[in-house]
Amino acid sequence: MYRSHTCGELRKNHCNETVTLSGWVQKSRDKGFMIWVDLRDRYGITQLMFDEERTPKEMMEKARTLGREFVIQVTGNVIERVSKNPNLPTGDIEILVTELTVLNESLVPPFTIEDKTDGGEDLRMKYRYLDIRRNPVRENLIFRHKVSMAVRNYLSNLDFIEVETPYLIKSTPEGARDFVVPSRMNEGQFYALPQSPQTFKQLLMVGGMDKYFQIVKCFRDEDLRADRQPEFTQIDCEMAFVEQEDILNAFEGLTKYLLKEINNVEIGDFPRMTYDDAMKRYGNDKPDIRFGMEFGELNEVAQHKDFKVFNQAELVVGIAIPEGNSYSRKEIDKIIDWVRRPQVGALGMVYVRCNEDGIFKSSVDKFYDQEDLAKWAEKTDAKSGDLICVLSGETNKVRAQLSALRMEIAERKGLRKSNEFAPLWVIDFPLLEWDEDSARFHAMHHPFTSPKPGQIELLDTNPGEVKANAYDLVLNGNEIGGGSIRIHDKETQAIMLRHLGFSEEEAVAQFGFLMDAFQFGAPPHGGIAFGLDRLVSILGGQETIRDFIAFPKNNSGRDVMIDAPSPLDKLQLDELSLALNLKP
């Protein structure tokens, strides 16, 4: 028996018991006549004691050889500590060791295995197995487990069935780039790793499964950032015989349950906002509503004077920064420099100080009087002491620019509090979006999303105006889930694919299996998928998903620990019928 107890469970009531513990050496302190060793496992730390009056000399010498991260087993008696440690659950006791076995020695770790480590991110990623021993990383992984179990319990209690779907599937041209897998047995042919189990969960509805879910790995070969990985995990769900309201109610319930179960936070009914309203009021389709600074559109009160910058703009729009009038001119100039960065792309910014005496002072006083600026304040809901920031330009671009500024100001002012949760449903998305590069419409969600009832006829006359029977769940400015009511008949699916540029032959080649299935009594159905990595990080008070993934990739999509991706040798390439122009 390697251990009778863990290193986190012994208390004063265990005194005088003989116990066996195993774990890693956190640190040791040698006072000559006495040695203390902190022994750590997943559950906590227990102090070991070696006393030259009660410990054999050979064991004292052996204890002196113990280095950090040595794996050891000890047997000893639980005794009350003379100098107690109130910061440890086990701080009232220690183990007077009678037997010591070194199970495995350790090299000196490349960084300290403590809460606050001296290891940089790259180093810790290379030795991720050591990083996992640290409390913050271990606790994040345990937290993820708790969220996953809560999801499974909630959905199982609603009669959802967890079904595994294939990882080796057919590549499709829509969406992000696929990771492809060559088939050795089918020369010249390839599988793709799934970007989602979309078509399979629809086929499960055709199969009568009624309520399906799966916590599943998905793969997208796309550009990376802090909250995106090439492989990620979804809570994938589908229901038959439902309308949009049924989906929203079911998964609003799941989100409320998680907030209560995991964070002990109770939330009322989630507000709902159309896509068009979200873009108009916040400049993006996943607004953070924990704070204000809603957009005020100023065209009608700013385009009547001789200020050409505004007169030539498609949209003039502003926000009021609470108490922003306290900013110095130098601080305002830094904000202007920030919006001019290439990542934001604004050409400049107009500002208005809302003074306490009711007088407005702007950077465009030459063109606008107090009456004009008062109307700007009304449109942006600015109060005395606020600062109005105004951008102008092409509608979509300027909304994105002002949205970025809004989020930056909120970050600087500490308005994005991780212990506050503000969920929101965004509904009525456009069915299609125009892509300038390919000069054609693409599905905003995916090709299987149903248009709103009565709008399919608009596909022939005004496709950009068609609304999708789709919805996103937003939490604290992050999309944590998205879904739609699906198309469930062959004719409608064929119409949709035609408008996405598929010929009849291409539609059959790519999605014939699904349209064939629709001919065998496909029920109305819809679903949603949550990004588990992102959901867990937000519930955990963070927004970087890597912190909650056991073995994440870096920003280049590499696993620096195992050095992947890596080249294949020529024999493997030949077996897969792949010929690469390899450098000599």
Side-chain angles (χ1 to χ4, degrees), residues 207-277:
M209 287 306 294
D210 188 61
K211 291 181 178 180
Y212 141 94
F213 85 98
Q214 183 180 190
I215 297 180
V216 59
K217 280 284 187 186
C218 300
F219 307 85
R220 292 179 187 170
D221 188 5
E222 58 186 356
D223 294 337
L224 304 174
R225 55 178 187 254
D227 62 343
R228 183 178 289 170
Q229 289 271 299
E231 54 179 319
F232 58 96
T233 306
Q234 282 188 182
I235 308 167
D236 200 59
C237 309
E238 199 81 2
M239 302 170 71
F241 303 110
V242 290
E243 296 177 332
Q244 176 176 294
E245 195 67 23
D246 300 305
I247 302 286
L248 267 55
N249 288 337
F251 293 98
E252 183 169 317
L254 170 62
T255 310
K256 287 179 179 178
Y257 174 78
L258 292 175
L259 287 167
K260 176 61 178 174
E261 189 78 6
I262 304 298
N263 298 89
N264 198 29
V265 172
E266 294 196 33
I267 302 285
D269 293 342
F270 295 1
R272 299 182 186 184
M273 186 182 301
T274 66
Y275 170 87
D276 290 342
D277 277 350

Side-chain angles (χ1 to χ4, degrees), residues 24 40-42 69 111-114 124-125 127-142 546-547 549-552 561:
W24 289 263
R40 182 194 73 241
D41 65 9
R42 175 188 133 191
E69 302 306 310
F111 53 87
T112 54
I113 314 297
E114 295 178 1
R124 289 186 288 109
M125 289 273 280
Y127 297 94
R128 183 64 168 179
Y129 47 86
L130 297 180
D131 203 27
I132 291 173
R133 294 181 190 174
R134 296 193 309 116
N135 285 331
V137 181
R138 184 182 67 248
E139 288 168 2
N140 282 349
L141 296 180
I142 294 172
R546 281 202 302 265
D547 295 338
I549 297 174
F551 299 102
M561 182 182 67

Side-chain angles (χ1 to χ4, degrees), residues 279-325:
M279 296 303 293
K280 186 174 183 178
R281 293 167 58 185
Y282 298 99
N284 68 60
D285 58 4
K286 46 182 182 294
D288 191 336
I289 59 172
R290 285 175 292 181
F291 54 92
M293 290 193 285
E294 288 192 28
F295 289 11
E297 296 195 351
L298 306 176
N299 288 38
E300 63 182 49
V301 295
Q303 292 183 324
H304 62 294
K305 294 293 179 72
D306 294 328
F307 190 50
K308 290 183 179 179
V309 173
F310 284 177
N311 292 342
Q312 295 171 355
E314 188 177 0
L315 177 65
V316 183
V317 62
I319 57 172
I321 300 176
E323 302 175 358
N325 193 31

Side-chain angles (χ1 to χ4, degrees), residues 439-456:
R440 67 182 182 91
F441 281 104
H442 289 263
M444 181 167 272
H445 282 72
H446 51 62
F448 318 109
T449 297
S450 174
K452 282 282 188 178
Q455 293 200 1
I456 193 168

Side-chain angles (χ1 to χ4, degrees), residues 558 563-570 572-573 580 582:
R558 293 197 64 82
D563 192 25
S566 60
L568 296 179
D569 63 38
K570 189 175 184 303
Q572 287 177 291
L573 292 172
L580 298 181
L582 300 175

